[in-house]
Amino acid sequence: MNIELLNKDLGLPSGNVEVEFLTLDKLENEKQKKSLKKMGFKAEQDALCFLNEKQFLACGVEDMSANNIRSATTVAIKHLKSMNYTSASFNVEKSNIRAIIEGLILGGYEFNTYKSKPKKHKLKNIHLLNSDISSLQKEFQEAVIVAEATCFTRDIVNTAPDDIHPPELAKVAKNLAKENGLECRVLNEKALKKEKCEAMLAVGRASRHESQLIHLSYKPKNAKKIISLVGKGLTYDSGGLSLKPATSMVSMKMDKAGACAVLGLMKAVSELKLDVEVHGFIGAVENMIGGDAYKPDDVLKSRSGTTIEVRNTDAEGRLVLADVLDYAQDKVKADYLFDFATLTGACMVALGQYTTGVMGHSNRLKHDLSKAASRSGELTASLPFNKHLKKQIKSEIADICNISNKPYGGAITAGLFLDTFIHEENKNKWLHFDIAGSAYTESPWDCNTYGATGSGVRFMSEFLKSIK
Ligand code: BES
Ligand code: ZN
Ligand code: ZN
């Protein structure tokens, strides 16, 4: 599907469907009003009405906000793809062009890698129309780059765990580096041993695939700031010896979504040519069972020297991140440090499946991030730390325990576990994003189709774009 920004005054090919967003108010002034009313169209949000003789598709919206336009565009593109039309056009303005592009690219996304007969669509061209296209060019290009980077993230997350295991994820990173002019360094298990990443290595020990620490960098000249992004890359999380129940194990290929968001962001920042230096660190590991598996009761010495009592092998993401965060802070002195992880089911209990949990010490940074997230259309909410919850991860025999001794506040205690590995000078530079709920869905919502959503890519791109 080809999306083009075109001058409104140029004619459109015959057979083109004109798409228009209509609120109830706007419906009153619409020249097609009679026909639309006759068909029972009331301009309700996400309702569609197609006038065949006019080649006109009306899309109902509650108001013209970006969130509602994105949602309505998603419904429209799915409908258009199911019909025989070859081209469609939308009138665009500065206020809605990004939402329309997101609806088209993200809402129209399909993952067909494993379909032997993928559906074919006739829809080839989308025309975005405005009378002054030069004023929209930048907005247009940026929106396409970020949406496509989000689809890149989705594709990797959606790929089956036997096709994307840790060495394969490292290959994906190397290919991305080659295509986008990034530096890429990969540490295999031998190198990880040298680095004393014993917590990360323990998690991957029962896997037939070697764990990998991936470091990508984008280094433009005269960068204004340095940012480190860290991603949890569990290419499969069976739970380990604290095995997940059968129904909870399904979809655990998505436990690499944090890593994949980091990959998508590296793609986006390099294509946007942002003038910030960005480092992506990924802990790629598979959490499996076997005679060699790490166990509840093991005590692990992490890279930082902090000892960890393992009481549940399914709380593995924080063990991997403990080492990767420590490594990232030693290698790069960043102005901001962000980690992305499908870390806890508890985050979904707290916030629902649509919202990313944001944790950290700096209220200022949380505030700026939340502003960027609102502009991006992704949902985030802050989960506050407190000293009482910190006590819940104390260990009687080691420095810290990998699970809480109480059943409540699991997303925050996981965040506080990570906090143990944040160096003192970086406390106010760090935010943790728990994307357990927002990264994957089996029921489409907004512009998210079945499977991976690519969460994190849009809100962090928006934050990085706004850095002064
Ligand atoms: N990868 C899971 C978290 C998860 C659960 C992500 C559901 C997406 C959907 C993580 O490794 C995990 O298993 N966490 C445990 C922690 C518990 C043992 C303290 C959890 O959330 O149950
Ligand atoms: Zn787990
Ligand atoms: Zn996990």
Side-chain angles (χ1 to χ4, degrees):
M1 202 172 70
N2 177 36
I3 305 175
E4 255 182 313
L5 186 55
L6 283 183
N7 194 315
K8 202 174 187 159
D9 309 325
L10 297 174
L12 284 166
S14 65
N16 177 75
V17 177
E18 192 187 333
V19 184
E20 190 165 336
F21 301 105
L22 293 173
T23 57
L24 199 52
D25 286 355
K26 234 176 137 197
L27 179 62
E28 291 305 315
N29 309 317
E30 173 61 41
K31 51 182 188 289
Q32 330 275 11
K33 177 179 157 191
K34 250 198 185 154
S35 319
L36 289 168
K37 279 213 161 156
K38 210 162 140 193
M39 292 183 71
F41 180 70
K42 296 188 196 75
E44 279 162 353
Q45 177 66 41
D46 295 346
L48 295 179
C49 188
F50 188 63
L51 302 179
N52 194 34
E53 67 282 10
K54 301 263 168 36
Q55 303 273 299
F56 181 86
L57 179 64
C59 306
V61 284
E62 238 163 59
D63 57 41
M64 290 294 178
S65 67
N67 287 339
N68 286 336
I69 295 283
R70 184 175 53 250
S71 175
T73 309
T74 298
V75 182
I77 191 69
K78 284 182 182 166
H79 178 74
L80 289 166
K81 280 173 109 178
S82 71
M83 307 294 280
N84 279 335
Y85 300 99
T86 53
S87 100
S89 63
F90 295 73
N91 287 315
V92 295
E93 294 157 30
K94 201 151 193 125
S95 61
N96 66 14
I97 184 165
R98 171 154 49 150
I100 292 174
I101 290 170
E102 288 167 347
L104 293 170
I105 298 179
L106 299 174
Y109 171 86
E110 284 172 59
F111 180 69
N112 286 325
T113 304
Y114 299 110
K115 292 273 189 203
S116 39
K117 292 190 191 79
K119 271 183 236 136
K120 288 210 176 84
H121 308 291
K122 302 235 165 76
L123 190 64
K124 292 279 172 298
N125 293 304
I126 306 283
H127 307 292
L128 305 184
L129 309 176
N130 186 279
S131 43
D132 179 14
I133 60 174
S134 59
S135 68
L136 295 177
Q137 207 69 44
K138 185 168 180 265
E139 195 77 22
F140 172 76
Q141 278 161 355
E142 288 186 356
V144 170
I145 288 172
V146 175
E148 284 180 349
T150 307
C151 293
F152 173 76
T153 294
R154 287 182 181 182
D155 281 344
I156 315 167
V157 177
N158 284 330
T159 302
D162 228 32
D163 294 334
I164 300 239
H165 43 70
E168 198 56 40
L169 194 62
K171 264 196 211 160
V172 173
K174 282 182 195 158
N175 276 340
L176 174 67
K178 209 163 135 195
E179 277 174 25
N180 284 36
L182 309 170
E183 287 173 28
C184 182
R185 192 159 174 240
V186 177
L187 276 63
N188 61 12
E189 291 195 346
K190 195 172 156 211
L192 284 167
K193 278 200 187 96
K194 259 198 195 155
E195 283 289 343
K196 300 194 167 78
C197 292
E198 295 296 336
M200 174 170 169
L201 281 165
V203 175
R205 217 164 58 202
S207 168
R208 66 196 172 98
H209 305 291
E210 271 199 40
S211 300
Q212 315 277 329
L213 196 160
I214 305 161
H215 177 191
L216 286 162
S217 358
Y218 164 70
K219 294 178 175 169
K221 283 195 191 99
N222 309 319
K224 287 189 222 153
K225 288 267 155 57
I226 303 177
I227 294 99
S228 284
L229 308 173
V230 173
K232 169 178 172 182
L234 263 289
T235 61
Y236 202 70
D237 181 12
S238 70
L241 288 179
S242 315
L243 197 63
K244 284 186 185 292
T247 49
S248 314
M249 208 185 292
V250 180
S251 77
M252 275 305 141
K253 64 173 182 183
M254 59 87 139
D255 216 17
K256 59 184 179 305
C260 300
V262 170
L263 291 173
L265 281 161
M266 296 307 297
K267 180 173 159 69
V269 294
S270 52
E271 291 173 9
L272 291 167
K273 300 191 172 63
L274 296 187
D275 50 4
V276 286
E277 180 173 319
V278 185
H279 294 264
F281 295 91
I282 287 169
V285 184
E286 188 182 54
N287 187 19
M288 299 299 281
I289 54 172
D292 195 25
Y294 83 124
K295 320 168 261 305
D297 288 353
D298 277 345
V299 174
L300 310 174
K301 187 164 186 181
S302 68
R303 185 180 186 277
S304 69
T306 300
T307 57
I308 307 166
E309 178 192 359
V310 177
R311 290 180 75 89
N312 190 317
T313 62
D314 198 11
E316 83 301 332
R318 61 196 78 182
L319 302 174
V320 173
L321 288 175
D323 281 348
V324 182
L325 281 166
D326 188 61
Y327 179 87
Q329 292 170 92
D330 275 355
K331 298 295 162 190
V332 176
K333 299 292 158 222
D335 298 294
Y336 297 111
L337 170 64
F338 299 124
D339 77 75
F340 300 81
T342 46
L343 206 61
T344 66
C347 189
M348 278 186 267
V349 177
L351 298 175
Q353 315 146 64
Y354 311 105
T355 303
T356 294
V358 182
M359 284 154 259
H361 298 285
S362 164
N363 289 331
R364 178 71 210 247
L365 190 50
K366 282 189 273 188
H367 172 265
D368 291 350
L369 189 283
S370 139
K371 290 274 173 216
S374 301
R375 293 196 298 278
S376 79
E378 278 200 65
L379 299 171
T380 63
S382 172
L383 294 170
F385 288 156
N386 66 57
K387 64 179 181 191
H388 311 289
L389 285 168
K390 186 109 188 181
K391 284 188 215 140
Q392 292 181 193
I393 49 172
K394 274 194 169 164
S395 165
E396 293 296 327
I397 64 159
D399 298 335
I400 193 168
C401 181
N402 85 325
I403 53 164
S404 163
N405 58 20
K406 298 213 168 60
Y408 305 119
I412 301 178
T413 50
L416 285 166
F417 179 94
L418 299 182
D419 172 48
T420 314
F421 300 90
I422 301 301
H423 302 175
E424 216 43 54
E425 67 275 19
N426 295 330
K427 292 286 187 198
N428 284 319
K429 300 175 181 172
W430 167 68
L431 290 179
H432 158 58
F433 302 114
D434 194 330
I435 57 170
S438 56
Y440 197 87
T441 183
E442 292 194 343
S443 340
W445 58 278
D446 191 0
C447 59
N448 300 306
T449 51
Y450 181 97
T453 62
S455 75
V457 177
R458 283 189 291 148
F459 77 68
M460 186 47 65
S461 296
E462 186 61 27
F463 179 86
L464 296 175
K465 268 164 58 181
S466 72
I467 286 179
K468 300 248 161 35

